[in-house]
Amino acid sequence: DIVMTQSPDSLAVSLGERATINCKSSQSVLYSSNSKNYLAWYQQNPGQPPKLLIYWTSTRESGVPDRFSGSGSGTDFTLTISSLQAEDVAVYYCQQYYTTPYTFGQGTKLEIK
Amino acid sequence: EVQLVESGGGLVQPGRSLRLSCTASGFTFGVYAMNWVRQAPGKGLEWVGFIRNKAYGATTAYAASVKGRFTISRDDSKSIAYLQMNSLKTEDTAVYYCTRNDVVADTPFDFWGQGTLVTVSS
């Protein structure tokens, strides 16, 4: 199974500042035939289901603000929130959907400093 | 509007069975693979398994933790996906979400239900 490891486990950032969450996979999630990394990011608020933010490493889901961006390739990926807003307080998960079992990172709790 | 509504959760004793349903609306159900993802109280997300659409043989795959105990099926005529859970253990206690993914476009879980809580306890 592909193990997904996020860092840090929790993060406190001031409003308007940049937040960066890292995700490392135990093996590559790059599909060579289309050069796409099968890596997604989700946001989860308390008591709510996860919400898809980004897929294929850097493609924003429809309706997701452009302050959210994703980058990386192979085994190392990053979610960046360029200017933290109060509504961004949540837990963030990365996920590989390259192969089953699809696996998630352990989550990163983002708070306001 | 895309909707996924889970039902069937509740309190069940260890060793017993439970069947969850996921009723879909607002999209062409038969085009999508349907997944189940669970979240134990205060914990992270765990993919349980999925069933592909009929064009891909409606094949299934499961997490090792549930393989041999859980079975996913689908009824495209009713737009419902099922999760049959047998030989339940206390560690199966979780909120169970259903979610879809497009296996043709290779996109991940873009819509999720609100979840149904399964509590396994004597």
Side-chain angles (χ1 to χ4, degrees):
Chain A
D1 298 1
I2 298 178
V3 177
M4 307 300 289
T5 304
Q6 292 179 226
S7 61
D9 290 335
S10 63
L11 180 64
V13 175
S14 300
L15 290 173
E17 296 299 305
R18 178 185 300 261
T20 300
I21 299 171
N22 300 300
C23 176
K24 188 174 185 67
S25 58
S26 62
Q27 62 191 76
S28 176
V29 297
L30 173 64
Y31 193 36
S32 56
S33 65
N34 61 12
S35 299
K36 290 181 176 177
N37 289 280
Y38 283 53
L39 189 284
W41 290 95
Y42 298 86
Q43 175 192 63
Q44 187 178 32
N45 290 300
Q48 295 296 313
K51 172 188 173 185
L52 177 64
L53 294 176
I54 286 171
Y55 58 98
W56 290 333
T57 301
S58 59
T59 300
R60 267 188 305 276
E61 176 71 340
S62 177
V64 173
D66 61 7
R67 63 180 181 275
F68 291 90
S69 64
S71 62
S73 185
T75 62
D76 291 280
F77 303 92
T78 300
L79 173 69
T80 301
I81 307 172
S82 60
S83 177
L84 189 71
Q85 305 300 302
E87 60 265 32
D88 300 335
V89 169
V91 179
Y92 293 84
Y93 295 92
C94 63
Q95 179 213 19
Q96 66 81 18
Y97 56 105
Y98 175 77
T99 187
T100 60
Y102 299 143
T103 44
F104 294 88
Q106 78 277 18
T108 295
K109 186 174 184 179
L110 178 58
E111 299 172 313
I112 304 293
K113 185 186 290 183
Chain B
E1 179 192 6
V2 173
Q3 283 197 316
L4 297 170
V5 179
E6 302 92 341
S7 59
L11 175 63
V12 61
Q13 292 179 326
R16 304 297 291 264
S17 298
L18 201 63
R19 188 178 79 160
L20 305 184
S21 299
C22 170
T23 302
S25 60
F27 66 99
T28 306
F29 182 77
V31 170
Y32 287 83
M34 297 302 297
N35 296 257
W36 290 91
V37 175
R38 68 184 180 183
Q39 187 168 35
K43 302 298 184 182
L45 301 169
E46 180 187 17
W47 178 79
V48 171
F50 80 162
I51 184 166
R52 294 181 178 89
N53 57 354
K54 282 190 176 179
Y56 285 78
T59 52
T60 55
Y62 300 94
S65 58
V66 306
K67 195 170 186 179
R69 298 188 300 123
F70 289 13
T71 302
I72 298 173
S73 59
R74 63 189 297 157
D75 184 338
D76 289 359
S77 68
K78 296 180 180 178
S79 296
I80 299 178
Y82 300 100
L83 177 63
Q84 177 67 44
M85 303 184 293
N86 299 332
S87 303
L88 281 161
K89 306 175 181 180
T90 55
E91 53 264 41
D92 294 319
T93 293
V95 173
Y96 284 75
Y97 296 103
C98 73
T99 177
R100 71 176 195 177
N101 71 295
D102 187 337
V103 294
V104 175
D106 267 347
T107 51
F109 307 159
D110 61 349
F111 280 94
W112 298 61
Q114 288 297 311
T116 187
L117 177 62
V118 173
T119 303
V120 184
S121 174
S122 55

